[in-house]
């Protein structure tokens, strides 16, 4: 009997000891949530609050409920303490994948933690519906970022394409817009292209403004929003005339395009014709603006013979030997040709049709300003620039003024200078831009007069202004001396060149002809089919080499 009482006393003592070292966990969670303590099922929440009494110690608490995120926390309980847990359980949404690759990684961020899944195509994942975006990644493919707008407990299927590295997908609004690569049609949007082609891609759709892709951010996908525009149509005589809008080459006539509302400068240009410029104002989307322009012919060609041994310089720009033709504008230009024995220094203009560098002789005559000079029944105002082709090696030529008669020995392939007045000299000042403003010792001189400016011997400060550029050259000139002064401003002009073979432009080879050349204003050299030609460029220009004789 005493034995039974002792055992019973020990049992009650153990129970008392156990509860004296216990603690409480108060859990608030969704009804029906299963509670696991150290991965062992404990109970299911039946009401708003569940109290669990356990001994002191370290515990891992997990709450699981189908359709919601799990809740997990590690706690440390001490004697007679309690822990209050409020479980955040977010409804799940299901994301299913229908992609163009067999395996991939999905990554998203939840509660400042990045979570990754290795998946196969057609797999799905259940994630908190509050996740706003996911990333889909695979080797050799661009990362695809998908924005989500999920609803609790519903399924979303992602049907998309991952693009291989080096490719980009172009979308447009509106869809089914035409896509051109270097003006060649390649398909409609949406379209996948190589990234290296992106800078030469144009988007077109009837009724919308043609767009060139710019500000590319190197992402795997982009969307171009097209804007409605106003129709512009331009025809011309001759056809195949280049159209430049605000200085940018747009195509050849007949030309039609959609433009935004606004004011534009339209330039029509074709080599051999005077460039035409007009200013238009496009105001209403329903307007149809149609123009037909006739260009005035301006084809001044100077044929150069026997130029193989002569180095040629025009307006201070060196072009080397072998020049065959000069297509000259309406302005006068300094011309210098040199070989090992002879040299030519003169001024040329559109009145000259042919120069035989072995036979043509040039005579530069300087008298009083506007004094009439007569040679070979030709009368010109001073200063005058005569040329004649000689049959013999040397020929005396009579030059007359009102009061005097002079004899000059004209030599083939050379130039001679004749001054009819003492204490006179001449400055031949040229620029690669016909609109250059010149100042001689502070006095303004226009470009037409500067190319043959009669002055007294002395020292001169010559300033040239063009746009926001300025250059100064100081010159000392003696009695009966001619000095050549050249200014060359860097100013690139967009030029469209049509050719059926490779060409050289300013000594640079082009096997493939670019969409546009950007050539410095003034004289430029083009080599085409064994011919070396000089062309003067002052405005956006279209040059069809195949039409030149």
């Amino acid at each position: 009997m005493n034995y039974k009482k002792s055992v019973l006393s020990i049992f009650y003592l153990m129970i008392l000891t156990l509860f004296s070292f216990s603690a409480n966990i108060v859990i608030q969670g969704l009804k029906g949530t299963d509670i696991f303590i150290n991965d062992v099922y404990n109970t299911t929440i039946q009401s708003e609050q569940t109290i669990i009494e356990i001994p002191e110690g370290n515990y891992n608490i997990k709450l699981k409920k189908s359709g919601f995120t799990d809740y997990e926390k590690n706690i440390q309980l001490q004697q007679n303490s309690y822990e209050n847990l409020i479980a955040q359980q977010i409804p799940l949404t299901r994301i299913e994948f229908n992609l163009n690759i067999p395996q991939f990684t999905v990554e998203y961020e939840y509660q400042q933690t990045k979570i990754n899944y290795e998946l196969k195509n057609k797999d799905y994942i259940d994630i908190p519906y509050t996740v706003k975006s996911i990333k889909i990644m695979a080797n050799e493919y661009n990362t695809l970022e998908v924005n989500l707008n999920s609803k609790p407990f519903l399924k979303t299927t992602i049907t998309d394409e991952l693009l291989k590295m080096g490719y980009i997908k172009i979308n447009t609004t509106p869809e089914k817009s035409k896509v051109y690569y270097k003006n060649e049609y390649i398909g409609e949007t949406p379209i996948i292209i190589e990234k290296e082609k992106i800078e030469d891609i144009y988007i077109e759709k009837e009724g919308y403004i043609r767009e060139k892709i710019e500000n590319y951010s190197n992402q795997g996908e982009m969307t171009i929003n097209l804007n409605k525009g106003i129709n512009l149509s331009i025809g011309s005589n001759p056809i195949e005339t280049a159209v430049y809008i605000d200085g940018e080459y747009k195509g050849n006539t007949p030309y039609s395009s959609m433009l935004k509302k606004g004011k534009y400068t339209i330039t029509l240009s074709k080599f051999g014709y005077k460039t035409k410029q007009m200013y238009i104002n496009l105001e209403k989307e329903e307007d149809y603006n149609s123009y037909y322009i006739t260009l005035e012919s301006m084809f001044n060609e100077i044929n150069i013979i026997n130029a193989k041994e002569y180095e040629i310089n025009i307006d201070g720009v060196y072009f080397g030997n072998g020049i065959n033709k000069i297509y000259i504008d309406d302005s006068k230009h300094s011309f210098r040709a040199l070989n090992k024995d002879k040299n030519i220094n003169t001024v040329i203009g559109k009145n000259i049709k042919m120069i035989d560098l072995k036979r043509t002789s040039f005579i530069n005559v300087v008298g009083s300003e506007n004094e009439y000079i007569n040679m070979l029944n030709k009368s010109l105002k001073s200063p005058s620039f005569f040329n004649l082709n000689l049959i013999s090696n040397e020929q005396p030529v009579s030059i007359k003024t009102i009061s005097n008669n002079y004899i000059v020995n004209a030599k083939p392939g050379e130039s001679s200078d004749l001054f009819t007045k003492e204490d006179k000299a001449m400055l031949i000042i040229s620029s690669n831009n016909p609109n250059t403003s010149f100042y001689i010792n502070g006095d303004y001189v226009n470009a037409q007069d500067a190319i043959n400016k009669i002055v007294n011997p002395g020292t001169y400060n010559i300033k040239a202004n063009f746009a926001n550029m300025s250059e100064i050259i100081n010159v000392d000139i003696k009695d009966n001396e001619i000095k050549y002064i050249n200014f060359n401003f860097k100013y690139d002009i967009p030029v469209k060149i049509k050719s059926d073979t490779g060409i050289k432009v300013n000594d640079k080879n082009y096997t493939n002809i670019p969409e546009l050349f950007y050539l410095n204003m003034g004289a430029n050299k083009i080599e085409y089919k064994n011919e070396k030609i000089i062309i003067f460029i002052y405005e956006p220009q279209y040059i069809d080499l195949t039409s030149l004789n």
Side-chain angles (χ1 to χ4, degrees):
M1 188 71 172
N2 290 331
Y3 172 75
K4 287 184 179 181
K5 287 183 179 180
S6 298
V7 173
L8 196 56
S9 298
I10 293 171
F11 176 74
Y12 285 127
L13 182 60
M14 290 176 62
I15 294 298
L16 182 61
T17 302
L18 177 64
F19 282 100
S20 65
F21 290 95
S22 66
N24 292 319
I25 306 173
V26 179
I27 299 175
Q28 298 179 48
L30 296 174
K31 187 177 180 180
T33 298
D34 293 331
I35 299 173
F36 294 81
I37 300 177
N38 291 340
D39 292 324
V40 177
Y41 171 76
N42 181 277
T43 186
T44 299
I45 296 176
Q46 301 298 332
S47 60
E48 292 182 359
Q49 185 171 285
T50 299
I51 300 174
I52 301 174
E53 189 177 81
I54 56 177
E56 63 179 323
N58 296 324
Y59 296 94
N60 173 265
I61 310 296
K62 290 181 181 176
L63 279 69
K64 293 179 176 288
K65 181 177 173 64
S66 179
F68 293 85
T69 56
D70 292 346
Y71 174 83
E72 181 176 1
K73 188 169 185 181
N74 294 314
I75 61 174
Q76 184 180 26
L77 296 176
Q78 296 179 349
Q79 180 183 350
N80 296 324
S81 66
Y82 80 94
E83 184 80 20
N84 188 26
L85 303 181
I86 301 175
Q88 185 181 29
Q89 295 170 278
I90 305 298
L92 298 177
T93 188
R94 177 160 292 183
I95 308 295
E96 188 178 76
F97 297 91
N98 181 19
L99 305 178
N100 62 320
I101 56 175
Q103 293 181 314
F104 49 90
T105 300
V106 173
E107 179 183 279
Y108 67 89
E109 188 171 315
Y110 178 65
Q111 293 182 342
Q112 299 182 336
T113 300
K114 288 185 178 180
I115 300 171
N116 291 278
Y117 289 92
E118 299 295 330
L119 301 176
K120 295 180 179 180
N121 198 28
K122 304 297 183 182
D123 282 354
Y124 65 84
I125 56 174
D126 294 327
I127 64 174
Y129 87 96
T130 54
V131 173
K132 297 302 180 185
S133 67
I134 62 172
K135 290 181 180 179
I136 305 173
M137 299 169 288
N139 289 334
E140 299 183 359
Y141 286 84
N142 289 308
T143 297
L144 177 64
E145 186 163 354
V146 180
N147 294 321
L148 301 176
N149 186 21
S150 304
K151 305 298 182 185
F153 314 120
L154 298 180
K155 183 178 77 172
T156 299
T157 300
I158 295 176
T159 301
D160 214 324
E161 291 181 279
L162 265 71
L163 303 177
K164 281 193 172 182
M165 294 289 188
Y167 287 79
I168 183 172
K169 183 177 182 181
I170 300 175
N171 303 298
T172 58
T173 303
E175 294 182 340
K176 296 189 178 299
S177 298
K178 293 181 179 179
V179 181
Y180 294 84
Y181 172 65
K182 291 185 176 180
N183 291 324
E184 181 179 344
Y185 175 74
I186 59 173
E188 291 186 342
T189 58
I191 190 171
I192 296 173
I193 64 166
E194 297 169 73
K195 288 183 178 180
E196 62 184 23
K197 295 181 177 180
I198 197 71
E199 293 182 354
D200 294 304
I201 294 293
Y202 290 86
I203 312 292
E204 286 186 358
K205 192 172 181 70
E206 187 175 352
Y208 291 83
I209 298 168
R210 189 175 196 243
E211 292 285 349
K212 185 180 188 300
I213 295 182
E214 296 176 336
N215 301 320
Y216 170 56
S217 61
N218 204 32
Q219 296 177 347
E221 186 171 356
M222 66 187 309
T223 298
I224 306 296
N225 295 312
L226 301 181
N227 297 304
K228 286 191 174 183
I230 302 174
N231 187 276
L232 173 67
S233 178
I234 301 174
S236 71
N237 180 21
I239 61 171
E240 285 289 302
T241 294
V243 178
Y244 292 82
I245 300 178
D246 290 342
E248 182 179 350
Y249 173 74
K250 295 296 184 179
N252 294 344
T253 58
Y255 174 81
S256 181
S257 183
M258 304 295 293
L259 300 179
K260 298 177 183 177
K261 293 179 184 180
K263 296 179 181 180
Y264 296 91
T265 300
I266 309 296
T267 303
L268 297 179
S269 169
K270 186 165 187 173
F271 180 67
Y273 296 84
K274 288 187 178 180
T275 296
K276 183 81 171 182
Q277 199 168 72
M278 60 182 182
Y279 304 93
I280 63 172
N281 186 10
L282 303 181
E283 293 182 340
K284 298 179 181 179
E285 291 183 0
E286 61 269 19
D287 284 353
Y288 189 89
N289 298 271
S290 181
Y291 300 89
Y292 188 85
I293 307 298
T294 299
L295 300 184
E296 183 182 346
S297 179
M298 185 195 69
F299 208 83
N300 303 309
E301 178 182 314
I302 302 175
N303 288 290
I304 310 294
I305 301 173
N306 295 318
K308 186 176 181 180
E309 296 176 0
Y310 279 82
E311 308 287 323
I312 288 179
N313 182 301
I314 298 174
D315 291 340
V317 180
Y318 173 78
F319 291 109
N321 63 357
I323 302 301
N324 304 108
K325 290 181 182 180
I326 301 173
Y327 292 98
I328 199 166
D329 61 324
D330 288 340
S331 301
K332 293 180 179 180
H333 300 274
S334 69
F335 177 85
R336 312 183 82 175
L338 174 70
N339 71 5
K340 62 181 180 179
D341 300 316
K342 302 178 179 181
N343 65 78
I344 296 170
N345 298 291
T346 190
V347 172
I348 60 173
K350 65 179 182 179
N351 60 306
I352 298 176
K353 303 302 178 186
M354 187 268 289
I355 297 174
D356 185 339
L357 291 175
K358 285 188 176 180
R359 292 295 176 190
T360 304
S361 178
F362 294 86
I363 302 175
N364 309 316
V365 184
V366 183
S368 300
E369 265 194 74
N370 296 321
E371 177 185 13
Y372 275 96
I373 310 293
N374 188 282
M375 187 186 92
L376 299 177
N377 297 319
K378 183 185 292 185
S379 184
L380 300 173
K381 285 184 178 181
S382 171
S384 308
F385 304 93
F386 296 96
N387 66 87
L388 68 157
N389 291 317
L390 302 178
I391 298 175
S392 61
N393 288 334
E394 190 172 321
Q395 179 179 327
V397 177
S398 173
I399 297 175
K400 297 179 180 180
T401 65
I402 293 176
S403 56
N404 289 296
N405 185 33
Y406 303 87
I407 301 296
V408 174
N409 286 326
K411 299 177 181 179
E414 294 189 53
S415 61
S416 305
D417 299 333
L418 171 65
F419 284 83
T420 66
K421 302 290 181 182
E422 296 294 329
D423 295 326
K424 292 295 178 184
M426 184 165 67
L427 297 170
I428 294 180
I429 307 170
S430 64
S431 166
N432 61 320
N433 184 281
N435 297 317
T436 300
S437 298
F438 296 103
Y439 294 85
I440 300 177
N441 288 346
D443 295 327
Y444 170 75
V445 180
N446 64 43
Q448 185 177 351
D449 293 335
I451 194 70
N452 43 216
K453 182 65 178 174
I454 298 174
V455 296
N456 296 319
T459 300
Y460 293 91
N461 174 276
I462 303 171
K463 183 178 181 180
N465 292 336
F466 169 65
N468 60 347
M469 295 174 280
S470 180
E471 291 184 13
I472 294 176
I473 296 176
N474 292 310
V475 175
D476 290 319
I477 192 167
K478 299 176 183 178
D479 181 30
N480 290 175
E481 182 182 17
I482 297 177
K483 280 212 168 177
Y484 291 77
I485 299 98
N486 306 108
F487 294 91
N488 199 305
F489 295 100
K490 181 64 177 172
Y491 193 87
D492 288 341
I493 304 290
V495 178
K496 174 74 174 177
I497 298 179
K498 180 181 178 181
S499 175
D500 52 3
T501 185
I503 61 175
K504 265 188 179 181
V505 178
N506 295 327
D507 295 322
K508 185 176 180 180
N509 279 307
Y510 293 90
T511 303
N512 298 314
I513 308 302
E515 177 70 15
L516 281 177
F517 289 85
Y518 288 89
L519 304 183
N520 196 33
M521 183 176 285
N524 288 266
K525 180 171 72 173
I526 299 176
E527 297 180 47
Y528 170 74
K529 289 186 176 180
N530 301 319
E531 282 209 333
K532 297 179 181 180
I533 61 177
I534 303 299
I535 292 177
F536 288 85
I537 296 168
Y538 301 117
E539 297 162 324
Q541 186 72 262
Y542 173 66
I543 302 171
D544 183 357
L545 295 175
T546 64
S547 68
L548 299 181
N549 295 323

